Amino acid sequence: MRCKALLRHAFFWSLGLFVGLSPMAFAEAVSPQEQIQIHASRATSSLMLLRGEGFQKTHQQRLEADLAALAGAMQSLPQGSAELTIAHQALVTQLRNGVSYGPGDENVPWRFPEDLSRALRDFLSTARALPGAEGQSELAAKVEYLSVQYLSRSYLGTFEIAREQPGTYLGQDERLLLPAIDSELQALKDQSDPQVTKLQTRWSYLRAALADMNSQSNTLQSVSGRPFAPITVDRHARSMTAQWMAMF
């Protein structure tokens, strides 16, 4: 009898612990492999803001902080690769090149947007190939990648996605990524949780702008005809992914 009582007590204690967990506790944590993807896209967005908004000091400082965060995340990987190190160096080189050209477009090589997008795609693709990266949700990485696409259309021109990888987020634009992110957010276990509600609210604002991106067109005009809002999109994207990562 005493044994049964102890088992019953343990069961109810475990049940209480289970119920008390945040709904996000049952989602997958953001892996180190995804973290480097997030930081790489953020650094690329920061360069685009720096160039597009007239080389403001705050944007240059943010770019440096993003590069430092990426370097730190690289060092924290449980297992890297020579290919990833090379891809990281190539991406940093393109980002540094983007700064060295200075304000305006006079000194920017016409192939720079293409070279920058290729360097980012190659890094992200190599990061996704690391051991342990399989089966991750990649929600935050997808949001930051969409933000890069939006800022590119706002400041540099069309961002070249990895069309040879249509089954991964690297080969997708808002037409596929928005529904995928919608589905993942709707699948969160407790929609009434304040954290989830806040996340959904942020996504609703961000989603509306991203859906207006009009990637299927080469005219660099939004679907609605309204001007692009890169600063707002960047802010909402970074806030959303920061909250997502903090919820684990």
Side-chain angles (χ1 to χ4, degrees):
M1 293 295 293
R2 185 171 181 273
C3 181
K4 289 183 179 180
L6 287 173
L7 288 173
R8 189 181 302 112
H9 176 77
F11 169 78
F12 284 114
W13 180 86
S14 300
L15 181 62
L17 179 63
F18 180 86
V19 171
L21 287 173
S22 162
M24 297 306 300
F26 308 107
E28 294 183 25
V30 178
S31 69
Q33 294 86 347
E34 185 183 357
Q35 289 179 33
I36 62 172
Q37 296 172 58
I38 293 166
H39 290 306
S41 289
R42 284 180 171 182
T44 305
S45 292
S46 289
L47 174 68
M48 292 177 180
L49 271 177
L50 177 65
R51 294 204 56 80
E53 296 297 327
F55 271 69
Q56 296 181 31
K57 185 177 180 180
T58 54
H59 295 148
Q60 188 149 9
Q61 290 173 338
R62 201 185 80 166
L63 172 59
E64 294 300 328
D66 287 338
L67 287 170
L70 175 57
M74 288 281 292
Q75 293 178 353
S76 299
L77 283 172
Q79 181 178 348
S81 70
E83 292 81 4
L84 184 67
T85 299
I86 293 171
H88 176 228
Q89 292 172 345
L91 175 60
V92 172
T93 296
Q94 289 301 324
L95 294 171
R96 294 295 186 197
N97 286 346
V99 176
S100 70
Y101 299 139
D105 298 329
E106 297 81 7
N107 299 318
V108 180
W110 67 273
R111 292 194 61 175
F112 173 67
E114 179 183 345
D115 292 340
L116 177 62
S117 60
R118 182 188 303 110
L120 177 61
R121 292 195 315 269
D122 289 349
F123 178 83
L124 298 177
S125 182
T126 306
R128 293 186 76 256
L130 290 173
E134 307 87 358
Q136 299 293 325
S137 76
E138 299 181 314
L139 184 143
K142 292 173 183 176
V143 170
E144 292 291 353
Y145 190 63
L146 273 174
S147 180
V148 168
Q149 293 181 37
Y150 189 97
L151 267 65
S152 181
R153 288 183 68 80
S154 301
Y155 295 130
L156 298 180
T158 301
F159 181 87
E160 288 294 328
I161 60 176
R163 301 189 185 281
E164 71 281 4
Q165 299 184 50
T168 74
Y169 82 84
L170 303 181
Q172 300 171 0
D173 56 31
E174 76 276 11
R175 288 169 288 181
L176 291 178
L177 289 176
L178 293 181
I181 296 170
D182 286 341
S183 297
E184 188 160 351
L185 290 176
Q186 290 166 6
L188 295 179
K189 294 184 180 297
D190 188 355
Q191 295 290 323
S192 64
D193 184 278
Q195 294 183 81
V196 175
T197 301
K198 188 175 182 180
L199 195 71
Q200 295 277 21
T201 300
R202 278 184 168 146
W203 174 239
S204 66
Y205 287 117
L206 180 59
R207 191 193 194 288
L210 293 173
D212 200 33
M213 186 165 30
N214 201 19
S215 292
Q216 62 187 347
S217 171
N218 292 324
T219 62
L220 298 180
Q221 292 182 342
S222 65
V223 175
S224 66
R226 292 191 296 267
F228 289 116
I231 295 177
T232 301
V233 165
D234 174 80
R235 182 176 68 251
H236 280 303
R238 191 166 290 225
S239 296
M240 179 180 174
T241 56
Q243 182 190 350
W244 177 263
M245 290 189 288
M247 288 169 75
F248 296 103

